[in-house]
Amino acid sequence: MDSVVNRRKPVIPVIRAADRSQHIQEANLKERHLFVLKKLLKRSHVGFLLKELTGIAKILNICAEKVKDHPEYVSILNEALKICRLPFLKEKASDEVTYAQDVIEFLSHMGCLMRVSDAAVRQQIVESVKSFYSSVAPKQQPDGLQSTSPGYRLQLLELSDLAQTLLLSMATLKTQPAIKLQLLQTLQILSGSSDMNCALILNAHGAETICLHMNEPDPSGQVLFCSSEILWNLLERGRKDEVTAQLSSMECVVSLKEAFFHLLMNGFQHADLQLRNDLLVITTLIAENPNSLLIESLFAKQLMGLVTFPELKTQNPLVRNLKLSYSNEDLKMKKLLLNLLVIMSKDFSALQLYKEEQVMLALLTLVKPPAASSERRSGLRHWSSVQQEELQLQALATLATIAPLMLDNYMSCQGNACLLLLLDWCIGQDAFFGQGHGFHGAGGRGSKKAQMRHCIRVLRSVTSSGEESVNQDLCDQGTINQLLGVLMQMEASPDEEDDITLEIKSDIQLILSALCEADMHRKELFGSEGVEMTLHFLRKDSDKFYSGLGHNKLLLSTVDCVWSCVVGCYTTEDFFLVREGVSLLLDLLTWSPRCVHGIVLATLLELCDNANTPSHILSWRDDGGQTAPRLLLQLWRREEEELGVGRSQHGEITDPQRPILSHHQQENTQPPLPANRASAAVLEISENLRSKIYSIFCKLGFQELPGLSPKDYVTLSVVRRYLDFKVGEVWDEISRELSVDGVRPVSPDRESLSTICKIAEDTAKKVTAEQSSFLEQQEKENVSEEELMYTELKSHWKQLELTAKSWNDYVSKTSNYEILKEVKAERKKHIESSRPKVKLEAAAAHPEENFMGQVLAVETTGAQGPAGVKVTLARAAIRAAGPDHVEPATQDPEYFSTVSVKD
């Protein structure tokens, strides 16, 4: 009974008349909206007008808001988005510019429609955006309307927020994997077609977003591929540093690690292996960022296990279950891992990881000479000979970077012995034909040149570190003699030199320099064989210096080898001097460019500590007869011209207050440097050649230098006082710095500074006076030589006049009979007057006659005609023989001209 009494009647909702009418009104309004929208879409089935885009965008937004409560609007949105695939329409050509901002806002509103949860709407949006990049044939347009240009919409899309909005909508697609894949494909198209789209995606942290969603459940198996492609587009077309910064977070690194090892263990198809390698490349780029968390995420530790596989046995469960197919993609992965070692070596913690994972031992195992085919284990898969060669060269290139950073580990693994064995194999005569594949195998096809090149590079890198234990170990194994033998064997080879061969020779010389520089015993081991090697390369043809193949580097390394391996050891120095090594260095100064002069002069200066060197320098002459002192003074003048030092046309000092100051120092107005830094006056000593030339002259002396001209003596007077001028320049700089700093020295110091500056100026004035005396003396000598030349010219012209007069006389006597008779009468009269007054009777019966006797001399004067011959005759008197015959007195020879002989 109680239950019946307490039973309540069901509540029946009361519908008021006003609410019912409102409901009916809303239903009618919705139907009217749908009717109008369908009519509008039907009218715009060939495309939306540019001027109507603003209104259409508002309508689409209203429809998007009503979809949740009224699913009928979904079809309207889908139909409108389908029309968006068509090109926009314009009534006038200027509409594209007029309504550009409306188009930008409309495209941005399209991206905002991704908030609609309906899968069909989202699919229509991404398909519409993808259609922008495909050629859609426009339908027949109504009269007066035209389609916009093909690139118009794409150009404005870059100015909208569409790319960013689509990226941000990925977070809402976890339950719609098919739409997510289409969205990724759309982002792939956007990022691959425009740098501006990449920038927009990056501004929205696109790289990080893509990376974090790449490992979500994916029935199609394409999400990881599309994500990788988007990251590649962002790296190639966007800002690389920003991409790597976004991917360096712990979450992104872990996501990359999961994706990589998933493909490593489960990927067997070629596309999977390629994708695995792509992710490894992205990881390598991340490793270049110093803030990356590869080590903290344990990703690097797991990758180190792959580096040592399969060369070393390991208990790592990840690697123990791994099976390589030894395909080209596996080879690429191995090479990428070796390259990753080089990238990560900048981090000290990475070096500690290398030691823990025995990376050095794995690298030295890879660089061993290839085993003979009979030694390969049968029945086991392994790298092919071509692949083994590429890995060997890649490992050598990696060692060149890592070995100097891990010398203790390198020595514990006997790295020197391993490399020297490889070097022996490189110069061996066994048959080996390098394939020359890959970047590191360039130039080594058909030979072992590539292996030798990289082996020498590793030795150069470990010796240049200066670690004494490493260098001593190399010397104990006979590396000096071995390298000298390799170098001369290569030089004796008939093969034509190329850039790789020259690089190997140069690197060998640098290794020898590093080994012998600070050890006398090693210089003795270098010995005469090494000296002959340096002399051989110093005699190289100078025309090859500018060949572009590397002869310039080889020449510099040769001079450095002389400095490090020859200088300082008297036995090698003396042999170098006897073999005319100094002459070769001076020859090098005559033709080499200015960049080489510094090291050559420094080497000559070091050699001058040997007492025998100055005589070799002073006795040197070049092809033109120029002496070494004159060559050095020419270099001094050329250096001062480069520095802009003030000099007159004859080389005199123009400013006694700044006798050697360069133009740069005069214009330098920078504030004073700290006390722990060298000033400009001190730095200038090491930056040019003047200090070296002055030091060499100090060894040679400043007196009785051969082959100097007056101009050279003018320059020499400056060189002799270089140190005095430099001291004055330093004190003047100190005085100016005190003045700039507002420091006033105490009176005694101030007087000392003034006196020092005055002494330097007086010294410059004395040198100027000395230079003037040299020039005056030279002027007097020039005048004297000029007067002597004029005297010789006058004598020459006088002789020509006498010769011409003699010739004229001869011609007049032969052409005019009257003149001939006068000459004969004059001669006869002269003969009569020269006879003695008292004559012998026998002479009266037989009168004395003169005859031409012996010809004493015949000379040629060079004139034309008979006047060009000068004959010297002896005159003799002949008388009849008689009892009272008396020999006439001997007369002096008489010089007859050609005319007199004819008479």
Side-chain angles (χ1 to χ4, degrees):
M1 181 65 68
D2 295 336
S3 60
V4 174
V5 172
N6 295 330
R7 182 181 298 172
R8 295 181 178 180
K9 296 180 179 181
V11 178
I12 300 175
V14 179
I15 301 177
R16 299 178 180 178
D19 293 340
R20 183 175 181 181
S21 62
Q22 183 179 359
H23 180 72
I24 296 174
Q25 185 178 2
E26 289 180 356
N28 294 333
L29 183 61
K30 181 179 67 173
E31 291 178 358
R32 289 180 59 191
H33 284 173
L34 293 175
F35 176 76
V36 172
L37 291 174
K38 291 179 181 179
K39 186 176 181 180
L40 175 64
L41 295 178
K42 184 177 181 181
R43 181 175 63 85
S44 303
H45 69 283
V46 293
F48 291 125
L49 280 171
L50 291 176
K51 67 179 183 179
E52 297 177 351
L53 288 179
T54 302
I56 293 175
K58 293 180 180 180
I59 293 174
L60 293 179
N61 283 332
I62 294 173
C63 293
E65 293 174 357
K66 292 180 175 296
V67 163
K68 185 177 181 180
D69 298 327
H70 305 283
E72 295 87 354
Y73 285 93
V74 171
S75 60
I76 301 298
L77 286 175
N78 290 337
E79 188 66 24
L81 291 172
K82 287 182 181 179
I83 297 175
C84 289
R85 302 182 188 182
L86 302 175
F88 297 139
L89 302 178
K90 59 183 178 179
E91 296 176 334
K92 297 181 294 185
S94 60
D95 285 353
E96 291 187 356
V97 179
T98 305
Y99 299 104
Q101 187 61 37
D102 294 345
V103 177
I104 295 173
E105 294 177 358
F106 179 80
L107 294 175
S108 299
H109 286 306
M110 278 188 63
C112 294
L113 294 178
M114 289 294 292
R115 69 183 185 273
V116 178
S117 61
D118 187 81
V121 174
R122 291 175 174 176
Q123 183 175 358
Q124 288 295 337
I125 294 172
V126 294
E127 288 182 356
S128 297
V129 176
K130 284 194 293 184
S131 68
F132 294 170
Y133 294 89
S134 60
S135 57
V136 179
K139 298 181 180 180
Q140 187 68 28
Q141 305 296 349
D143 294 339
L145 299 179
Q146 295 178 352
S147 300
T148 56
S149 57
Y152 175 73
R153 186 163 44 183
L154 297 179
Q155 185 179 2
L156 296 181
L157 186 148
E158 297 175 351
L159 302 176
S160 68
D161 299 332
L162 179 60
Q164 291 176 315
T165 308
L166 292 178
L167 175 73
L168 295 175
S169 65
M170 283 191 61
T172 63
L173 300 177
K174 292 182 179 180
T175 59
Q176 297 174 340
I179 306 302
K180 176 184 175 182
L181 177 60
Q182 294 185 16
L183 177 61
L184 287 174
Q185 293 173 348
T186 304
L187 291 174
Q188 180 181 347
I189 295 174
L190 289 172
S191 60
S193 61
S194 169
D195 296 348
M196 293 184 65
N197 287 338
C198 289
L200 292 172
I201 293 174
L202 286 177
N203 291 337
H205 294 275
E208 182 179 4
T209 303
I210 295 297
C211 185
L212 294 177
H213 290 83
M214 68 192 321
N215 292 317
E216 293 178 353
D218 174 31
S220 65
Q222 295 295 315
V223 170
L224 185 58
F225 174 79
C226 291
S227 301
S228 174
E229 290 296 320
I230 294 172
L231 293 178
W232 268 113
N233 292 336
L234 295 177
L235 286 168
E236 292 178 351
R237 306 185 69 101
R239 294 186 296 274
K240 177 183 174 183
D241 54 345
E242 185 174 351
V243 177
T244 55
Q246 292 183 18
L247 296 178
S248 297
S249 64
M250 179 64 74
E251 295 80 5
C252 289
V253 172
V254 172
S255 179
L256 278 173
K257 180 178 70 171
E258 294 176 358
F260 174 78
F261 284 106
H262 170 74
L263 292 171
L264 178 67
M265 304 306 296
N266 302 314
F268 302 102
Q269 296 182 0
H270 183 72
D272 296 334
L273 300 182
Q274 285 183 329
L275 180 56
R276 176 199 64 188
N277 292 343
D278 290 343
L279 294 178
L280 188 55
V281 174
I282 295 175
T283 305
T284 304
L285 296 176
I286 295 175
E288 295 179 356
N289 186 1
N291 299 322
S292 65
L293 301 176
L294 292 177
I295 297 177
E296 291 78 358
S297 63
L298 301 181
F299 192 13
K301 183 176 179 63
Q302 293 174 328
L303 290 176
M304 293 308 105
L306 290 177
V307 172
T308 59
F309 179 81
E311 286 73 31
L312 301 181
K313 294 182 179 180
T314 179
Q315 299 300 323
N316 189 338
L318 176 66
V319 177
R320 186 169 48 191
N321 299 326
L322 178 64
K323 293 183 180 180
L324 292 179
S325 61
Y326 296 95
S327 62
N328 287 333
E329 294 302 325
D330 288 339
L331 176 65
K332 291 179 182 178
M333 182 187 71
K334 186 74 173 180
K335 293 171 67 175
L336 287 172
L337 289 170
L338 294 177
N339 182 59
L340 181 62
L341 294 177
V342 178
I343 301 299
M344 295 182 60
S345 62
K346 301 175 183 178
D347 191 348
F348 179 76
S349 57
L351 298 179
Q352 297 297 324
L353 186 61
Y354 295 171
K355 293 179 182 179
E356 295 173 3
E357 298 296 327
Q358 295 183 319
V359 170
M360 181 63 67
L361 182 59
L363 292 175
L364 292 174
T365 304
L366 281 173
V367 304
K368 288 181 179 180
S373 57
S374 59
E375 299 179 5
R376 289 181 176 267
R377 293 174 293 177
S378 59
L380 295 177
R381 302 187 67 179
H382 47 71
W383 301 112
S384 66
S385 59
V386 177
Q387 293 174 335
Q388 186 68 40
E389 179 187 356
E390 289 196 46
L391 290 177
Q392 181 189 37
L393 295 174
Q394 183 84 20
L396 285 169
T398 306
L399 274 174
T401 301
I402 295 179
L405 304 175
M406 305 172 59
L407 288 176
D408 53 346
N409 198 8
Y410 170 81
M411 293 297 295
S412 64
C413 296
Q414 298 182 350
N416 285 337
C418 182
L419 291 175
L420 293 178
L421 287 175
L422 178 62
L423 185 60
D424 282 335
W425 174 80
C426 290
I427 61 176
Q429 301 300 323
D430 57 323
F432 176 81
F433 301 99
Q435 301 299 319
H437 294 300
F439 172 77
H440 298 288
R445 188 171 184 83
S447 67
K448 306 173 185 177
K449 188 180 294 185
Q451 283 81 359
M452 179 181 290
R453 176 192 188 185
H454 290 284
C455 180
I456 294 296
R457 275 188 182 181
V458 179
L459 289 173
R460 187 194 69 183
S461 64
V462 296
T463 53
S464 61
S465 63
E467 181 63 34
E468 182 59 27
S469 60
V470 177
N471 294 350
Q472 185 62 46
D473 181 66
L474 285 171
C475 294
D476 292 342
Q477 299 187 54
T479 305
I480 294 178
N481 291 330
Q482 183 180 1
L483 291 177
L484 287 174
V486 171
L487 190 56
M488 297 313 295
Q489 179 180 343
M490 293 181 65
E491 190 65 17
S493 175
D495 297 338
E496 186 177 354
E497 289 184 330
D498 54 8
D499 55 340
I500 297 178
T501 303
L502 293 173
E503 179 188 338
I504 295 174
K505 294 177 181 178
S506 178
D507 286 346
I508 291 176
Q509 290 182 342
L510 293 176
I511 295 172
L512 292 171
S513 299
L515 293 176
C516 301
E517 183 176 5
D519 192 282
M520 187 66 64
H521 176 62
R522 296 172 191 171
K523 292 184 179 182
E524 293 176 353
L525 293 177
F526 188 76
S528 59
E529 182 181 358
V531 174
E532 287 290 354
M533 180 272 295
T534 58
L535 295 173
H536 171 78
F537 285 104
L538 286 176
R539 294 190 183 99
K540 282 281 190 178
D541 190 1
S542 60
D543 296 338
K544 296 181 178 180
F545 187 84
Y546 298 101
S547 64
L549 296 177
H551 288 89
N552 52 346
K553 298 179 182 178
L554 180 60
L555 182 61
L556 288 173
S557 62
T558 302
V559 178
D560 182 67
C561 201
V562 173
W563 192 351
S564 302
C565 304
V566 176
V567 175
C569 179
Y570 288 117
T571 56
T572 53
E573 279 186 2
D574 291 339
F575 189 75
F576 185 77
L577 294 175
V578 170
R579 298 289 291 165
E580 299 182 353
V582 169
S583 299
L584 294 176
L585 291 177
L586 290 171
D587 290 339
L588 181 58
L589 272 181
T590 58
W591 61 263
S592 62
R594 184 177 180 272
C595 60
V596 183
H597 293 166
I599 186 174
V600 176
L601 289 174
T603 306
L604 284 173
L605 179 59
E606 294 292 335
L607 282 171
C608 284
D609 290 338
N610 191 314
N612 299 323
T613 302
S615 60
H616 285 271
I617 294 178
L618 294 174
S619 62
W620 174 83
R621 301 290 186 277
D622 66 357
D623 295 337
Q626 182 177 230
T627 61
R630 187 169 189 179
L631 173 62
L632 293 175
L633 292 173
Q634 286 182 357
L635 293 177
W636 179 283
R637 288 193 291 268
R638 197 178 306 162
E639 190 72 13
E640 288 192 333
E641 184 178 352
E642 290 285 339
L643 295 173
V645 181
R647 293 286 182 265
S648 67
Q649 60 178 350
H650 301 294
E652 298 174 282
I653 296 175
T654 57
D655 188 358
Q657 294 182 349
R658 299 178 179 87
I660 60 172
L661 203 65
S662 66
H663 180 71
H664 172 70
Q665 290 176 275
Q666 295 178 20
E667 293 184 347
N668 190 9
T669 58
Q670 65 179 6
L673 299 175
N676 59 350
R677 292 184 59 185
S679 63
V682 178
L683 288 175
E684 187 265 345
I685 296 177
S686 60
E687 292 176 351
N688 59 72
L689 308 178
R690 292 191 294 181
S691 60
K692 299 180 180 63
I693 296 174
Y694 166 76
S695 301
I696 293 176
F697 271 110
C698 289
K699 300 290 185 179
L700 300 178
F702 295 93
Q703 303 293 333
E704 299 180 358
L705 297 175
L708 297 185
S709 64
K711 187 175 183 179
D712 294 328
Y713 281 110
V714 170
T715 306
L716 184 63
S717 62
V718 178
V719 177
R720 186 177 352 185
R721 295 292 187 178
Y722 173 74
L723 184 58
D724 297 333
F725 293 151
K726 180 55 66 175
V727 171
E729 180 184 325
V730 173
W731 280 108
D732 181 67
E733 190 177 62
I734 293 173
S735 178
R736 284 187 284 106
E737 287 185 359
L738 292 175
S739 177
V740 171
D741 291 338
V743 178
R744 182 188 181 280
V746 296
S747 297
D749 290 344
R750 188 175 184 181
E751 292 177 0
S752 299
L753 281 174
S754 178
T755 303
I756 292 172
C757 295
K758 181 65 175 176
I759 291 174
E761 184 177 351
D762 292 342
T763 303
K765 292 180 179 179
K766 291 179 181 179
V767 173
T768 303
E770 184 180 351
Q771 291 175 333
S772 299
S773 65
F774 284 143
L775 296 175
E776 290 175 1
Q777 181 65 26
Q778 175 64 20
E779 185 65 25
K780 291 180 181 178
E781 292 178 1
N782 292 339
V783 172
S784 177
E785 291 178 359
E786 186 176 357
E787 291 177 352
L788 179 60
M789 182 184 66
Y790 278 115
T791 302
E792 292 178 354
L793 288 175
K794 289 173 64 177
S795 175
H796 177 68
W797 281 106
K798 185 66 175 177
Q799 183 65 29
L800 291 178
E801 290 176 359
L802 293 175
T803 303
K805 183 179 180 182
S806 176
W807 173 254
N808 292 333
D809 292 342
Y810 171 75
V811 172
S812 61
K813 288 187 291 183
T814 55
S815 60
N816 194 329
Y817 181 70
E818 296 295 332
I819 295 176
L820 181 60
K821 289 196 301 180
E822 292 178 1
V823 172
K824 292 185 69 174
E826 185 69 25
R827 183 172 295 170
K828 185 174 181 181
K829 182 179 179 181
H830 176 72
I831 292 173
E832 290 294 336
S833 63
S834 62
R835 289 178 179 175
K837 300 297 182 181
V838 181
K839 298 182 180 180
L840 299 177
E841 295 179 357
H846 302 281
E848 182 178 346
E849 296 183 3
N850 292 328
F851 290 84
M852 296 181 184
Q854 184 179 2
V855 177
L856 297 183
V858 179
E859 299 180 6
T860 304
T861 62
Q864 298 293 331
V869 181
K870 185 176 181 181
V871 182
T872 305
L873 303 176
R875 185 176 61 186
I878 301 177
R879 296 181 181 179
D884 298 328
H885 175 70
V886 180
E887 290 291 331
T890 304
Q891 299 183 8
D892 294 334
E894 181 177 353
Y895 295 90
F896 293 87
S897 66
T898 306
V899 179
S900 300
V901 175
K902 289 279 184 181
D903 294 340

